[in-house]
Amino acid sequence: MNNKLNVKRKSAEKKFILLGRVSILLAFVFLAVFLFTIFKTGISGFYKSYIKLNIFFDSEYLELPKDYSDSNLRHADFQGIANKAIYKLFPNVKESSDKKELRKIISSYSNLTIKNALRNDKALLNKEVSLEIPLNSVFNLLNKGLLDENLPQEKRNFTDLQLSFFNQLKNKGLISKKFNWDFFKTGDSRAPEKAGIGGALLGSLFSMIICFLFSFPIGVATAIYLEEYAPKNLFTEFIEVNINNLAAIPSIIFGILGLSILIDFFELPRGTTLVGGLVLSLMTLPVIIVSCRAAIKAVPPSLKHAALGLGASKTQVVFHHVLPLALPGTLTGTIIGLARAVGETAPLLMIGMVAFVVNLPKTPLEQSTSLPVQIYLWAESAEQGFVEKTSAAIIVILLFLFAMNFAAVLFRNKFEKRW
Amino acid sequence: MVETKKEIIIECKNLDVYYGNKQAIKNVSLNVYDNQVTALIGASGCGKSTFLRCFNRMNDVIDICKVTGEIHINGEDIYSKEQDVEKLREKVGMVFQKPNPFPKSIYDNVAYGPRIHNLTNSKKELDELVEKSLIKASLFDEVKDRLKESGTALSGGQQQRLCIARAIAVDPKVILMDEPCSALDPIATAKIEELIIELSNAYCILVVTHSMQQAARISKRTAFFHLGELIEVGNTEELFQKPKNKMTHDYITGRFG
Ligand SMILES: Nc1ncnc2c1ncn2[C@@H]1O[C@H](COP(=O)(O)OP(=O)(O)OP(=O)(O)O)[C@@H](O)[C@H]1O
Ligand SMILES: [Mg+2]
C-alpha cells in the first residue's frame, strides 16, 4: 500500500523534473538560434570594403590655390579625382555609360576620405598617393560574398559589366576588407557604407545619464521616505499601490505623457535626449523605488535598534546604517532598470527621437536617436546594405545589455548580505 | 541592608504599558539604585523586555506601544515633553539579546556613539576613548591588533563585549541589558558576567535574565515579574532564600515558568 503510493509520488516527481529540463532546453535552443542568426548576419556589418586607388591631387582640377583654406576644400570636386583614379585603371573603357558604371563601384562618399587625407597633409597637393577608398554598399556586400553573382542580371543591383570590373580589381589585389571603426564614430547616413551608430550610441548614453540623474535620487529619497518616515495609513498605502502599478504601465503611455507635458506644456525641445532621458526616468523610477525599498527592508532591525539605542536620530540611522547597506541592492535594481530603459523604443518614438540625424549630438539639447530607435530606422530601410548594419547594431545593444546585467550580478554577489 | 547605602537613580511610578489594547505592564513602581546590578526575572512573556525598554524609550519605536506613568532618572522625567530622546539614550545605554555589532570596523563600532554625540575634540582623544572602552569591556587585548577589521567577524561572545564597549563609550549612567548572555556559550557567559559585576562599580545596570543562577551570581537586587505585574523585589540573596510571595517561591524553585 504505502510502497505503491511512494512509487507514484516518485514518478510524478521525475516527470515534473523532466518537464522542467525540457522547457529549459527549449529556451536555450531558441536563444541559441536567435543569437546565431543575429551574429551570422551582424558580424559582417562591422567590416567595410575598400579599394586601393592612386589619387592625384590635381590642384588645377580641384581649383585649389597654393595656400588654400578649409573653405576652398568644401567646393573642390574630390569625387571627381576619385573617379579619374578608377578610370585610369581601365584605360580601355571609353564610353561614358560604361564609365558611369565603373565609377559606381566606389562609394559616393569617397570625397570625404580624400578630403580628409588632404586636410591632414597639405603637402599632398599636386602629388599622387595611394588611398583606400570605400566601396559602394552593393560592392561592399558583393566583396563579403553576401550577394549572389549567379542570378540573372535583372535580379541583382549590379550589371555584368560592373561584375567584370569588380573581379578584375579583385584579381589585381586592390580590394580589401577591414574592421570598420567608423561604424562606432559616425552618425546615420543614407548610404549604408557610411552609416554608423555613433550618434545613436551618444544619444543612448546621454539619455541614460539623464535618466540616472533624475530617477536615482528621487527614487532613493522616495523609498527612504516611504519605508522609514511615512506613517502607515490608507493614503501611503494608496501611493504604494500606485508605484507598483506604475511599473506595469505600457511604455508608450509614458511617451505620450512626455509629449504632452514635457514638450507641449514645458516646451522642451522635441526629439532631444533631455526629453528622452526624462521620459525614461519615469519608467525607471518605480523599478528603483521598489528595489530600494526591498533593500531597505532587508536591513536587519537589530542594527537600527543598536544605533537608536546609542542615541542616533532617525535620520542618522538612515544615512549611517540603513542606506549604506541598502545601496548595493538599490544599485543592482537601478542597473536593471536602466538596462530596460536602454532597450526602450516606443516612448522615444512618441517624443520624436526618431529622426534621420547625421551629426553626432554634442549636448542633450540636440536632436538625436538612440540605439533601439536606430535599429528600428535601419530595419525599416529598403536598402540591402542596412540589413547587416541592423544586425550589427543589435549585436552592440545586446553586448551592452549583457554587460549591464553582468555588472548587476557582480554587484549583487559582491555586496550581498555583509552583516 | 545593601540598598540603603546606595543612591536611587531611577524612580519608576505607576507605570502602565499597552500594546494596542493589550496591557503588558500593570501599574509597576520600582526604584533602582546606582552602582549595582538589578536583575529582572520572570516567565517568558511577562513583560521584562517591555519594562526594560521603557527606561530608554525604545518602546517609542513600536507604533502601537503606549506608556503611561512616570519614570525619573536622576530626577528628570524622561517621558516629559521637553525630554530629548537622543540625549536620554546617550545617558541610558542598551545591550541587546543578540549581539548586533554594526557591519563596520571594530574601531568604528565603538567610536560611533562618541562621534554622533560629539564627545571628543580630536582623533587622538577618540582613539583613547575607544581604547579605554574596549579595555573596560575586557576586549582590548583580543582585538588590539585588528581594530580595522569588521566587528561582525568576531565570535559571539566577543561581539557581545564589543556591544558593551560600544554602549559604555558614550559614558552612560545606566546600562540596560536584555538577556545579554542568552546567545552565548558558558565560557563566554562567564566572561560577560564577570564584566557586568565589574562595570556595576561605575554604572547602574539593569539585567533581564532567564537564569536564576545568573541573577544570583551577578545582581544585588532582583525584581520578579508575573503577567505584567511586579510581584516582589528585594535583596537578591533574601529573595532567593526567603521569598515572601508564594508565586516567587514557585518560580524560583522551578514549579512554573
Ligand atoms: N511589539 C509588540 N507588539 C505587540 N505585543 C508585544 C510586542 N512586544 C511584546 N508584546 C507583548 O507584550 C508582552 C510582554 O512581552 P515582553 O517581550 O516584554 O516579554 P518578556 O518578559 O521579555 O518575555 P521573554 O522572556 O520571552 O523575552 C507579551 O505578551 C508580548 O506578547
Ligand atoms: Mg524579552
Side-chain angles (χ1 to χ4, degrees):
Chain A
M1 268 301 285
N2 231 344
N3 220 357
K4 221 168 159 187
L5 193 75
N6 227 359
V7 169
K8 210 170 152 191
R9 199 154 47 188
K10 280 264 161 63
S11 84
E13 193 173 303
K14 266 192 194 137
K15 268 184 214 154
F16 185 72
I17 290 176
L18 188 74
L19 213 67
R21 288 195 180 146
V22 168
S23 53
I24 288 180
L25 192 75
L26 264 177
F28 262 108
V29 169
F30 282 133
L31 187 69
V33 169
F34 167 71
L35 288 180
F36 179 74
T37 42
I38 291 289
F39 273 81
K40 193 169 151 267
T41 40
I43 288 293
S44 68
F46 293 108
Y47 290 88
K48 190 167 168 180
S49 307
Y50 298 86
I51 177 170
K52 196 177 270 175
L53 288 180
N54 286 330
I55 303 288
F56 179 56
F57 289 95
D58 186 346
S59 64
E60 227 167 277
Y61 181 83
L62 292 171
E63 297 173 355
L64 288 176
K66 259 241 143 44
D67 46 348
Y68 60 91
S69 63
D70 273 7
S71 66
N72 293 120
L73 290 182
R74 205 173 303 147
H75 304 291
D77 180 13
F78 288 106
Q79 196 70 39
I81 58 171
N83 293 343
K84 277 187 168 183
I86 196 166
Y87 298 153
K88 228 194 237 167
L89 293 172
F90 295 93
N92 298 334
V93 178
K94 296 263 161 54
E95 283 289 318
S96 80
S97 64
D98 293 353
K99 281 184 162 179
K100 190 175 169 195
E101 288 192 25
L102 178 55
R103 69 170 182 258
K104 274 197 173 158
I105 290 178
I106 59 173
S107 166
S108 48
Y109 289 93
S110 306
N111 54 346
L112 297 178
T113 314
I114 303 169
K115 183 161 67 175
N116 279 339
L118 185 60
R119 186 181 287 152
N120 292 340
D121 186 1
K122 295 206 167 192
L124 290 181
L125 199 59
N126 284 326
K127 287 201 183 105
E128 193 176 70
V129 274
S130 157
L131 284 180
E132 306 236 84
I133 306 297
L135 286 186
N136 177 295
S137 171
V138 172
F139 296 93
N140 177 30
L141 296 179
L142 185 63
N143 182 39
K144 292 174 188 166
L146 295 171
L147 299 181
D148 190 355
E149 309 171 7
N150 301 323
L151 284 174
Q153 182 169 284
E154 320 82 69
K155 289 204 170 161
R156 43 179 153 86
N157 296 339
F158 49 96
T159 61
D160 288 339
L161 185 62
Q162 283 177 319
L163 183 60
S164 94
F165 287 148
F166 183 74
N167 284 335
Q168 288 175 51
L169 290 170
K170 209 165 180 178
N171 290 338
K172 283 187 197 163
L174 294 175
I175 307 281
S176 63
K177 196 174 86 178
K178 279 193 202 153
F179 193 82
N180 183 12
W181 288 109
D182 284 341
F183 181 62
F184 300 97
K185 293 185 211 152
T186 55
D188 201 1
S189 167
R190 296 281 180 224
E193 73 267 22
K194 187 175 163 278
I197 55 166
L201 269 177
L202 273 180
S204 278
L205 190 74
F206 280 148
S207 26
M208 269 220 333
I209 291 173
I210 287 167
C211 174
F212 177 81
L213 288 181
F214 274 85
S215 56
F216 188 73
I218 297 178
V220 170
T222 309
I224 292 175
Y225 178 75
L226 285 177
E227 205 53 48
E228 299 285 342
Y229 294 93
K232 301 273 170 284
N233 56 29
L234 262 175
F235 181 66
T236 47
E237 209 161 287
F238 176 75
I239 289 179
E240 275 190 55
V241 169
N242 276 297
I243 286 173
N244 292 333
N245 282 343
L246 217 56
I249 288 179
S251 57
I252 192 146
I253 292 173
F254 286 106
I256 296 173
L257 189 76
L259 181 65
S260 62
I261 293 183
L262 296 174
I263 296 178
D264 288 349
F265 184 73
F266 285 109
E267 299 188 340
L268 293 177
R270 200 167 180 284
T272 56
T273 47
L274 174 67
V275 178
L278 288 177
V279 167
L280 292 179
S281 73
L282 289 179
M283 298 183 47
T284 323
L285 204 53
V287 181
I288 295 181
I289 294 175
V290 169
S291 68
C292 184
R293 291 189 66 179
I296 289 176
K297 272 207 188 89
V299 175
S302 65
L303 285 180
K304 294 189 214 170
H305 292 164
L308 284 172
L310 279 171
S313 68
K314 201 159 189 172
T315 310
Q316 284 174 325
V317 173
V318 167
F319 283 96
H320 296 166
H321 301 284
V322 176
L323 209 50
L325 292 177
L327 217 49
T330 310
L331 281 175
T332 308
T334 306
I335 294 175
I336 287 168
L338 283 179
R340 218 188 71 165
V342 171
E344 203 51 71
T345 327
L348 302 185
L349 300 185
M350 285 311 301
I351 56 129
M353 273 181 75
V354 64
F356 171 72
V357 186
V358 177
N359 296 330
L360 301 187
K362 283 183 213 68
T363 67
L365 289 170
E366 282 170 49
Q367 174 99 41
S368 172
T369 57
S370 75
L371 267 180
V373 174
Q374 190 66 69
I375 290 169
Y376 166 79
L377 285 171
W378 283 348
E380 289 266 274
S381 168
E383 263 204 71
Q384 207 170 0
F386 279 118
V387 173
E388 56 170 15
K389 294 278 167 179
T390 309
S391 295
I394 292 174
I395 292 175
V396 171
I397 198 169
L398 282 180
L399 288 179
F400 209 75
L401 294 181
F402 176 76
M404 284 182 81
N405 282 301
F406 189 68
V409 170
L410 273 189
F411 232 87
R412 196 165 54 212
N413 290 348
K414 182 140 194 256
F415 294 105
E416 206 178 31
K417 292 238 156 72
R418 289 178 304 158
W419 53 89
Chain B
M1 294 282 281
V2 183
E3 60 259 45
T4 48
K5 285 187 203 158
K6 305 265 181 180
E7 243 179 89
I8 293 176
I9 180 166
I10 303 177
E11 281 174 280
C12 166
K13 265 188 239 144
N14 306 330
L15 195 75
D16 290 305
V17 181
Y18 301 85
Y19 289 110
N21 293 324
K22 188 174 170 294
Q23 187 165 10
I25 292 291
K26 294 166 188 160
N27 195 27
V28 170
S29 300
L30 176 72
N31 290 339
V32 182
Y33 297 85
D34 202 0
N35 300 334
Q36 64 171 228
V37 179
T38 304
L40 307 178
I41 61 171
S44 188
C46 69
K48 305 177 297 290
S49 301
T50 304
F51 184 61
L52 197 69
R53 283 200 301 266
C54 291
F55 297 107
N56 64 347
R57 291 185 53 173
M58 277 299 272
N59 282 329
D60 293 10
V61 177
I62 303 163
D63 284 334
I64 56 168
C65 186
K66 215 178 110 233
V67 179
T68 61
E70 277 176 41
I71 296 179
H72 291 262
I73 295 180
N74 272 336
E76 248 179 83
D77 179 5
I78 65 164
Y79 278 93
S80 76
K81 282 219 169 59
E82 296 84 56
Q83 178 65 51
D84 184 33
V85 182
E86 281 83 42
K87 275 268 165 289
L88 169 70
R89 290 182 187 149
E90 189 190 337
K91 290 288 154 249
V92 183
M94 190 164 209
V95 176
F96 296 80
Q97 178 169 359
K98 233 181 88 215
N100 54 357
F102 301 129
K104 299 170 188 275
S105 72
I106 294 171
Y107 181 94
D108 286 337
N109 261 283
V110 182
Y112 184 67
R115 272 183 186 143
I116 57 172
H117 295 296
N118 244 333
L119 298 184
T120 53
N121 296 318
S122 64
K123 173 90 174 73
K124 196 163 155 280
E125 262 181 68
L126 186 61
D127 287 349
E128 283 166 8
L129 181 56
V130 168
E131 185 177 328
K132 211 176 74 192
S133 308
L134 284 169
I135 290 171
K136 274 198 212 162
S138 49
L139 184 64
F140 187 68
D141 289 335
E142 288 158 69
V143 300
K144 63 180 171 214
D145 304 321
R146 44 180 179 142
L147 291 178
K148 290 272 164 287
E149 276 172 42
S150 174
T152 48
L154 296 172
S155 77
Q158 289 174 324
Q159 286 188 15
Q160 196 62 303
R161 275 179 282 151
L162 178 62
C163 292
I164 294 174
R166 182 175 68 185
I168 57 186
V170 292
D171 194 27
K173 296 278 172 290
V174 181
I175 303 174
L176 311 172
M177 300 188 178
D178 194 350
E179 301 180 44
C181 303
S182 67
L184 306 180
D185 67 75
I187 295 172
T189 299
K191 272 196 177 154
I192 303 273
E193 285 182 7
E194 210 177 293
L195 176 61
I196 292 173
I197 295 169
E198 210 180 289
L199 289 174
S200 69
N201 292 320
Y203 305 95
C204 163
I205 298 179
L206 273 156
V207 181
V208 172
T209 175
H210 272 149
S211 152
M212 303 307 133
Q213 291 89 336
Q214 186 172 64
R217 280 195 299 265
I218 63 176
S219 70
K220 281 277 164 13
R221 282 179 94 225
T222 299
F224 170 64
F225 285 80
H226 182 62
L227 297 178
E229 284 177 78
L230 176 61
I231 304 296
E232 187 172 348
V233 57
N235 188 303
T236 301
E237 265 169 57
E238 283 172 28
L239 186 125
F240 276 95
Q241 269 150 28
K242 303 189 282 279
K244 295 189 190 86
N245 191 294
K246 168 94 170 37
M247 275 194 279
T248 319
H249 179 262
D250 288 351
Y251 181 72
I252 59 180
T253 50
R255 246 173 259 163
F256 76 88

